Amino acid sequence: MPLKIIRNSITLLKCDAIVNAANPTLLGGGGVDGAIHKAAGKGLLFECMKLGGCKTGQAKITGGHQLPCKYVIHTVGPKWRGGTNGERELLESCYRESLRLALEYGCSSVAFPLISSGVYGYPKDQALKVAVDSITTFLLEHDMLVYIVVFDRDSFRISEKLFVDIVAFIDDRYVGMDPIFSKTRRDVFDESTVLKTEEIFLPEEEDPAAFPPDFAAKEGKAAVPGSPDLKRGSQRSLEDVLNQEEESFSQALLRKIDEKGMTDSQCYKKANVDRKLFSKIRSNINYHPRKTTAIAFAIALELNLDETKELLLKAGFALSHSNKFDLIIEYFISSGNYNIFEINEALFAFDQELLGV
Ligand code: ADP
């Protein structure tokens, strides 16, 4: 199951467990700890008092009390002391131990704040990288939906070089008038990037054929066989078009997985797509994926740009230079970087929808 990065207060999330960046006393503090205790009510403090504290890198679990989640997992992150005092190992241990507890308590969804990245001073870009690496290592072996919740606009930092490269790539090719990519990274973040809790669960399926052609063009969707824009000016009869037996997206995807010598699970995990969605695609030859799902598979399969476009077309989509999302995808494919989590970090930084589920 996938990793999702969202912006919100962790106290609002309706998942099985949320993780608290606690201090060793487990008796509450500032930052996310204070927010969690405030929202959970006194019952959480009373339960924490019985736990006898927690060592750095370890984790303990309590009930959620007045929070919308079932459990709170309390973990104590390392204080940043220059980076050469085992900080990374301790931070990795926080994620590992918290996920181990979540598994033990049967959680299917868990949300993390960026542990240690506040008062404890861990540089936010490095804290994010440790979070993503630790969680994705865990997800290779286990099925769980994991959220990283970033709270303040500075929390989410892709490297300066990557940011500048993407801006340059887009500036060279972008045919729209929106000046957003001339702005500095700090300007790119505004309140509109905040995803509300209700938006966490997006609909899985959409049928591109259901969209009128102008909408399809705006959304970077390709013309669907049989749609009015395809028929205009075409000499072919409708019957000709319908008789043209084309491989569907689902068939093309399964063929490509075989050609690449991957297993299904290797592919959907690398695509950050969950198993249930993959089974739906596998069992329904006419499945219409969302564009972000189709691209996630192209990334997992490490398709080049032409192959990606070909696969997208099977799902009724195209990549266009008047769409920033498409340009960012094109940037990563052209640079041969198929790390979906890095791509998602960049999409997030540019306020775009993320790949996978
Ligand atoms: P630490 O002491 O481990 O550094 P902090 O609570 O000071 O813990 O900060 C950890 C991270 O949690 C910071 O990036 C901070 O911005 C973020 N944070 C603070 N409040 C919330 C909240 N309500 N929801 C999610 N993240 C939060």
Side-chain angles (χ1 to χ4, degrees), residues 8-12 20-23 30-36 75-79 91 112-122 124 149-152 155:
N8 211 320
S9 171
I10 202 163
T11 56
L12 300 173
N20 181 15
N23 62 51
V32 71
D33 195 8
I36 288 175
T75 188
V76 182
K79 286 188 183 146
L91 190 53
F112 283 89
L114 274 185
I115 300 163
S116 283
S117 74
V119 176
Y120 280 5
Y122 212 105
K124 287 180 193 286
V149 183
V150 294
F151 191 55
D152 50 321
S155 288

Side-chain angles (χ1 to χ4, degrees), residues 104-224:
E104 192 182 316
Y105 280 76
C107 299
S108 53
S109 56
V110 54
F112 283 89
L114 274 185
I115 300 163
S116 283
S117 74
V119 176
Y120 280 5
Y122 212 105
K124 287 180 193 286
D125 53 345
Q126 293 184 47
L128 176 66
K129 183 152 178 25
V130 174
V132 169
D133 290 350
S134 311
I135 295 167
T136 50
T137 303
F138 173 86
L139 290 178
L140 288 176
E141 302 287 329
H142 304 283
D143 262 356
M144 205 181 276
L145 177 55
V146 183
Y147 297 103
I148 296 177
V149 183
V150 294
F151 191 55
D152 50 321
R153 62 181 64 204
D154 281 340
S155 288
F156 213 93
R157 286 171 179 269
I158 56 172
S159 82
E160 197 69 45
K161 179 176 181 321
L162 181 59
F163 187 86
V164 168
D165 279 358
I166 294 175
V167 170
F169 185 89
I170 291 168
D171 278 350
D172 282 352
R173 294 164 181 79
Y174 186 50
V175 295
M177 297 305 287
D178 183 345
I180 193 165
F181 290 100
S182 309
K183 294 182 179 179
T184 65
R185 178 171 61 207
R186 190 168 280 272
D187 295 332
V188 170
F189 289 101
D190 63 31
E191 290 314 313
S192 67
T193 65
V194 177
L195 293 174
K196 300 279 182 288
T197 310
E198 312 82 79
E199 290 170 343
I200 290 172
F201 303 102
L202 296 163
E204 296 294 344
E205 276 174 85
E206 60 185 38
D207 181 354
F211 294 106
D214 56 345
F215 182 87
K218 201 167 134 234
E219 291 291 294
K221 294 171 198 295
V224 177

